[in-house]
Amino acid sequence: LVDMKIIDRTLPFGEEPGKSRKGVYRITDNCYRFWYRFVFGNQAEIDSGIGAALADKTVFGEALASFIGKPAFEQICLQYLMRLNKEQKLPFLATSFGKWWGTDNQKREETDIDIVVGDKTGKKAILGECKWRKEKVSKADMENFMKKDYLLPNFTNRYYLFFSKSGYNQGAKELAKNYDRLLLLELKDLFDISNPFEKIT
């Protein structure tokens, strides 16, 4: 299944592939993900002829938004940054890409960072948060995310990046204006060939 690109083994960012025991296997093919999330467990209902009604009730809404948000939207945003890195449009040349998850020892809870792009030698990193939801990203959302940076103590030179489906409220925009290493992107920006980091590098 790994060779067929249907699943893969993913490690938290920064873990050594040959040594870490924190790896998890995940379905990477989004068609298979959709099938097992929405079709597999509802085959009897679909066969009975109520598939369309069931889809309207249980799929096309919050469930689908959640399905797209994690991990599909995160993967798209990470691919976008990998393209920028190849074009040398990031603030540094990144050598590692991924997602971090684990225990926040200060809050004593499990947490994650959607995207981490790093240069271990230069102790540089871009920390990214992806929001696929109807609500605009708020200032509080951004502040809560930026406070997670202590979870990666080996990267002291940091940039912060938000991707939002629905944009940002005024408080979030004001925070970005006053913080020169915080960049806000929307869906349309993913199709722009210009360098979004140009003003903050």
Side-chain angles (χ1 to χ4, degrees):
L1 292 176
V2 172
D3 290 342
M4 294 171 66
K5 309 295 185 184
I6 294 174
I7 67 171
D8 70 1
R9 182 172 181 261
T10 306
L11 292 169
F13 182 88
E15 292 287 320
E16 292 290 336
K19 300 178 181 178
S20 177
R21 303 175 115 189
K22 296 181 180 180
V24 295
Y25 285 93
R26 294 179 176 172
I27 298 175
T28 56
D29 185 291
N30 286 318
C31 289
Y32 279 95
R33 285 186 57 238
F34 187 90
W35 173 268
Y36 283 108
R37 173 79 179 271
F38 298 116
V39 179
F40 182 75
N42 295 305
Q43 292 213 22
E45 292 83 351
I46 294 169
D47 291 343
S48 72
I50 63 168
L54 187 65
D56 286 338
K57 184 177 180 181
T58 62
V59 178
F60 300 113
E62 291 301 319
L64 186 60
S66 174
F67 174 84
I68 294 172
K70 286 185 179 290
F73 185 49
E74 293 176 2
Q75 291 172 347
I76 291 169
C77 296
L78 183 59
Q79 290 167 1
Y80 167 78
L81 291 176
M82 293 174 78
R83 176 174 64 81
L84 290 183
N85 189 59
K86 185 177 180 181
E87 297 171 357
Q88 298 186 37
K89 291 181 178 179
L90 296 183
F92 55 87
L93 184 63
T95 55
S96 51
F97 302 82
K99 174 187 180 86
W100 184 92
W101 69 88
T103 303
D104 182 335
N105 291 322
Q106 289 188 13
K107 295 184 178 180
R108 297 184 179 181
E109 63 184 21
E110 293 298 306
T111 189
D112 65 9
I113 299 175
D114 293 341
I115 291 175
V116 185
V117 175
D119 167 25
K120 189 174 182 180
T121 303
K123 297 184 177 181
K124 299 174 181 178
I126 297 170
L127 310 184
E129 180 83 348
C130 306
K131 295 293 188 184
W132 186 271
R133 65 185 191 190
K134 294 178 182 178
E135 300 81 15
K136 293 179 182 293
V137 171
S138 69
K139 179 181 177 182
D141 290 329
M142 294 165 61
E143 289 175 333
N144 289 336
F145 168 68
M146 292 168 70
K147 289 176 183 176
K148 292 182 178 181
D149 59 8
Y150 70 88
L151 296 169
L152 295 168
N154 294 329
F155 295 88
T156 54
N157 190 352
R158 307 180 186 103
Y159 298 81
Y160 304 89
L161 179 57
F162 262 82
F163 296 91
S164 174
K165 170 191 173 185
S166 303
Y168 305 87
N169 69 16
Q170 192 57 39
K173 292 176 181 178
E174 290 297 325
L175 180 62
K177 285 181 183 178
N178 296 322
Y179 199 92
D180 61 1
R181 289 202 168 194
L182 173 60
L183 184 62
L184 310 183
L185 297 180
E186 300 181 34
L187 292 183
K188 61 181 175 60
D189 297 312
L190 300 179
F191 302 94
D192 193 338
I193 62 171
S194 63
N195 183 1
F197 288 92
E198 193 169 18
K199 295 181 180 178
I200 66 171
T201 55

